[in-house]
Amino acid sequence: MTDALDILAIAAHRDDVEQTCGGTLLKMAERGYRTGILDLTQGEMGTRGTVEDRAREAAEAARILKATWRGALDIPDGRVENTWENRLKIARVIREQRPRVVILPYWQARHPDHATCSTLGYEACFLAGLTKLGKTPGFTDPEDLGAVAKLPPHRPFKIVYASLYYDVRPGFVVDITGQFERRVEALMAYKSQYEDQADGSGLFPLKQEIRQRLETMASFYGMLAGVKYAEPFVQKEIGVVDDLLAIPVKSL
Ligand SMILES: [Zn+2]
């Protein structure tokens, strides 16, 4: 069995993680944590580029973000559904990679795949921790998922939601000032998507504009916490404080 991941980011599409929490993943990797990325789809519906292009680009982006592991499932692009089979597919990865922290997309979203990924990921994390998963009578085990029942149960300690795609007040932000440029570089690794080109030019913003947007968003979330650049997150739990003198971010 491979070494457990500390952090696993799960997203619907290749490049979602780069856009919403890539700086955070890089920062955590630089702290010595083992980070991973699971993309649920392979991008076959994209206007630009092929699945193979995207796989290569995703690997390059993962290298820039210093991720230890990156995988993609075969869930159809544009059809991320919260089904038993999909929950098992993700639960299997969670049991294999055993992350302590899971990053999911925020549960409200314009793109239905993002919203579904959030609930699907949450339910898969729950399922992965059930000792009796696959061991009760009547368990319907899709052929290729036999492995999930054979792996030891694992439930992540913490789930946080990357909320950059949605206009919601974050519960906390991660300072990515030192990682911002490389995060932009990781996104630009998706050359089939972001290099200026004729295909879908009416649909896609120009490279320069993308950089500007990334910077505007990162500055906005940074400003909320008094740092230059940051990425926003929401957690469902209430944070607990032991020492009032150690709370970061000054009030005035
Ligand atoms: Zn997406």
Side-chain angles (χ1 to χ4, degrees):
M1 200 176 270
T2 53
D3 284 348
L5 290 178
D6 294 300
I7 302 164
L8 175 65
I10 302 176
H13 315 112
R14 284 169 166 161
D15 88 5
D16 281 343
V17 159
E18 287 77 2
Q19 301 209 45
T20 61
C21 60
T24 302
L25 283 182
L26 175 58
K27 184 169 184 161
M28 295 304 107
E30 287 173 345
R31 291 199 160 203
Y33 293 122
R34 292 169 55 86
T35 62
I37 300 165
L38 176 66
D39 306 304
L40 301 188
T41 65
Q42 302 187 15
E44 69 276 11
M45 294 289 272
T47 308
R48 293 171 162 180
T50 63
V51 167
E52 292 72 31
D53 289 336
R54 287 206 150 192
R56 219 177 316 107
E57 292 162 354
E60 172 61 8
R63 189 192 61 77
I64 296 168
L65 297 178
K66 298 185 161 72
T68 305
W69 180 87
R70 184 168 206 156
L73 295 180
D74 56 358
I75 296 175
D77 188 6
R79 230 187 81 195
V80 173
E81 292 169 345
N82 187 356
T83 61
W84 172 238
E85 193 175 357
N86 287 345
R87 290 199 291 276
L88 285 180
K89 285 180 185 179
I90 301 170
R92 176 177 170 175
V93 173
I94 289 164
R95 284 186 167 192
E96 283 166 353
Q97 301 297 332
R98 308 192 311 284
R100 277 186 61 204
V101 173
V102 167
I103 302 176
L104 294 175
Y106 184 63
W107 56 88
Q108 282 178 283
R110 182 189 63 83
H111 197 312
D113 280 356
H114 298 165
T116 307
C117 176
S118 188
T119 47
L120 173 59
Y122 178 89
E123 291 181 29
C125 287
F126 186 87
L127 207 58
L130 295 176
T131 314
K132 290 189 177 167
L133 177 68
K135 300 196 169 99
T136 51
F139 174 71
T140 49
D141 185 9
E143 253 176 273
D144 58 329
L145 293 169
V148 72
K150 293 183 192 99
L151 293 162
H154 177 80
R155 186 164 290 161
F157 174 74
K158 190 78 184 169
I159 298 176
V160 296
Y161 298 86
S163 63
L164 189 128
Y165 280 157
Y166 199 75
D167 182 19
V168 58
R169 188 176 168 83
F172 66 93
V173 300
V174 174
D175 179 357
I176 58 148
T177 308
Q179 290 75 29
F180 178 76
E181 288 305 332
R182 276 164 302 152
R183 195 192 95 172
V184 174
E185 206 187 304
L187 188 65
M188 293 309 168
Y190 291 88
K191 290 198 171 68
S192 69
Q193 307 303 303
Y194 299 110
E195 279 289 319
D196 296 338
Q197 56 194 282
D199 268 1
S201 59
L203 221 75
F204 287 78
L206 293 170
K207 199 170 164 183
Q208 186 47 37
E209 209 177 308
I210 295 166
R211 198 193 181 286
Q212 203 170 18
R213 272 190 211 180
L214 291 175
E215 191 167 358
T216 306
M217 295 299 272
S219 302
F220 172 72
Y221 289 112
M223 183 200 66
L224 295 180
V227 299
K228 190 169 180 197
Y229 296 131
E231 284 171 344
F233 294 88
V234 170
Q235 65 170 344
K236 287 180 177 170
E237 303 75 32
I238 297 293
V240 64
V241 167
D242 280 324
D243 182 349
L244 291 186
L245 280 88
I247 308 178
V249 186
K250 66 177 181 178
S251 300
L252 27 102

